[in-house]
């Protein structure tokens, strides 16, 4: 049984606590695991509209299972026609419960194409893209959201919010830092509260940034009055944070319990990945799932050097014997 460390029955009811989109991590297997652990909804990592049109929807990274729904599909791009065509294809074939545009990614490889946070420097263009995608999403019976930042180099929240609301966006998802700040400094939750006031009854507001614990979630909702929060990097280390929110308990998982979660992740990976790729994914998550446990420096290097899953699990079992 998971060890309960603390009971806390306070907190907002009826709020959405979702898995944030994280490039390289939030593909189907991890989305499914987080849904089982209590995430109210999941988000795909940003998917290039150009890649969808060039390669189609059969790539492993585009696999979607029933168990991970409700799902929001996040598109990335800078050309209205390309984004519109990709959106039509995604909504028709994959049928996500929501469509999302990435207007917040600060990665250079994304920004240099004019996508991600670069869209915040051209609000007329952002308006045209958002309006077109909103109309497409609504035509397929789902809502449309935009995940964005305060601005590219400076805070322009009011102008960006006005642009998106005018375009018919249903959910505004704000990470309250600029693109230039990336993940440095403190997320300015008070600006999410400002966005709630700006949106009023026109759109829902979700936020993200520096939400790492159950107490953070409670404080976030109390301060911002937002309708939802997205958990990103913290969920990579503690995917059970969603369970903590719903049960208002803090859980301390032992080695066996964390190992069980990793094995579930592996099972879900095999639904659409070959064993080699599944092992690569496991090696990405193992250092995170077992963070803070004894003897990590002793066993982790050997674990990550294993060339097949049988040896990988055997090394984990050896580690387990030392700590339990």
């Amino acid at each position: 049984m998971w060890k309960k460390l603390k009971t806390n029955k306070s907190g907002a009811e009826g709020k959405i606590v979702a898995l944030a989109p994280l490039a390289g991590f939030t593909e189907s297997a991890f989305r499914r695991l987080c849904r089982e652990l209590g995430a109210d909804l999941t988000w795909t990592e940003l998917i290039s509209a150009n890649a969808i049109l060039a390669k189609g929807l059969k790539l492993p990274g585009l696999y979607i299972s029933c168990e991970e729904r409700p799902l929001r599909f996040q598109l990335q791009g800078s050309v209205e026609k390309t984004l519109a065509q990709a959106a039509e294809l995604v909504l028709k074939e994959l049928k996500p419960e929501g469509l999302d545009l990435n207007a917040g990614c600060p990665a250079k490889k994304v920004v240099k194409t004019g996508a991600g946070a670069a869209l915040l420097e051209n609000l007329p263009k952002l308006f045209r893209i958002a309006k077109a995608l909103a109309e497409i999403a609504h035509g397929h019976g789902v809502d449309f959201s935009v995940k964005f930042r305060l601005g590219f180099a400076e805070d322009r929240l009011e102008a960006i919010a006005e642009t998106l609301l005018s375009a018919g966006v249903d959910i505004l998802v704000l990470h309250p830092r600029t693109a230039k700040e990336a993940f440095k400094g403190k997320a300015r939750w008070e600006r999410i509260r400002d966005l709630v006031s700006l949106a009023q009854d026109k759109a829902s507001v979700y936020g993200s940034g520096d939400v790492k614990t159950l107490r953070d979630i409670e404080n976030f909702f109390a301060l911002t009055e937002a309708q939802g929060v997205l958990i990103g990097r913290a969920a990579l280390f503690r995917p059970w944070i969603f369970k903590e929110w719903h049960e208002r308990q803090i859980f301390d998982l032992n080695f066996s319990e964390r190992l069980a979660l990793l094995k579930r992740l592996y099972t879900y990976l095999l639904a659409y990945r070959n064993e080699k790729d599944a092992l690569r994914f496991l090696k990405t998550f193992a250092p995170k799932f077992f963070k803070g446990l004894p003897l990590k420096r002793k066993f982790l290097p050997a674990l990550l050097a294993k060339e097949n899953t049988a040896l990988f699990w055997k090394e984990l079992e050896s580690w387990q014997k030392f700590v339990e």
Side-chain angles (χ1 to χ4, degrees), residues 223-234:
L223 176 64
T224 68
E225 299 183 358
Q227 287 76 44
V229 65
L230 275 62
I231 311 294
R233 288 171 290 173

Side-chain angles (χ1 to χ4, degrees), residues 11-239:
E13 300 298 333
K15 299 292 188 178
I16 297 295
V17 179
L19 174 64
L22 293 168
F25 295 102
T26 54
E27 60 177 60
S28 178
F30 189 62
R31 296 194 301 259
R32 181 174 176 181
L33 181 65
C34 288
R35 272 290 288 148
E36 290 182 355
L37 291 172
D40 293 312
L41 59 87
T42 65
W43 235 274
T44 70
E45 58 184 274
L46 74 173
I47 308 294
S48 166
N50 288 331
I52 289 174
L53 296 184
K55 301 179 181 179
L57 299 174
K58 299 301 183 181
L59 296 174
L62 296 181
Y63 177 85
I64 298 172
S65 67
C66 295
E67 291 83 0
E68 69 204 61
R69 295 177 183 274
L71 171 82
R72 302 195 67 78
F73 193 102
Q74 185 178 81
L75 283 174
Q76 173 257 114
S78 62
V79 179
E80 180 183 335
K81 182 178 179 180
T82 302
L83 283 162
Q85 291 175 338
E88 287 281 7
L89 185 60
V90 165
L91 290 168
K92 179 181 178 181
E93 300 296 331
L94 299 182
K95 296 179 171 55
E97 284 70 29
L99 183 69
D100 183 74
L101 171 69
N102 184 298
C105 180
K108 290 182 180 179
K109 65 180 181 180
V110 173
V111 169
K112 71 179 182 181
T113 67
L119 292 173
L120 302 178
E121 295 210 283
N122 188 338
L123 295 188
K125 181 178 183 179
L126 177 61
F127 171 81
R128 293 192 298 272
I129 290 174
K131 188 173 188 296
L133 293 182
E135 291 175 352
I136 292 170
H138 296 159
H140 284 267
V142 301
D143 56 26
F144 174 64
S145 58
V146 176
K147 192 173 189 299
F148 64 104
R149 286 176 174 249
L150 292 171
F152 191 83
E154 60 183 21
D155 188 333
R156 301 182 62 200
L157 175 61
E158 284 72 17
I160 296 169
E162 181 180 356
T163 298
L164 296 177
L165 290 170
S166 298
V169 176
D170 303 295
I171 305 174
L172 304 176
V173 187
L174 175 62
H175 182 99
R177 292 181 175 95
T178 66
K180 287 290 186 181
E181 289 173 317
F183 296 98
K184 298 177 182 178
K186 185 177 181 181
R188 299 192 284 282
W189 291 356
E190 68 276 6
R191 294 299 272 155
I192 297 175
R193 182 184 60 211
D194 294 338
L195 181 59
V196 171
S197 297
L198 291 168
Q200 295 182 358
D201 297 328
K202 299 176 183 177
S204 297
V205 173
Y206 296 0
S208 65
D210 296 347
V211 183
K212 303 175 183 179
T213 66
L214 171 60
R215 179 59 60 85
D216 289 339
I217 298 174
E218 293 170 341
N219 290 341
F220 174 89
F221 284 131
L223 176 64
T224 68
E225 299 183 358
Q227 287 76 44
V229 65
L230 275 62
I231 311 294
R233 288 171 290 173
L236 301 179
F237 295 88
R238 300 177 67 254

Side-chain angles (χ1 to χ4, degrees), residues 257-283:
E257 291 163 336
R258 296 177 192 224
L259 179 57
L261 291 182
L262 194 65
K263 288 184 175 180
R264 280 164 63 184
L265 185 68
Y266 175 63
T267 299
Y268 302 154
L269 281 164
L270 291 180
Y272 62 97
R273 291 280 188 188
N274 60 41
E275 186 170 337
K276 182 179 179 180
D277 287 343
L279 177 60
R280 175 179 53 80
F281 206 76
L282 290 177
K283 288 180 178 180

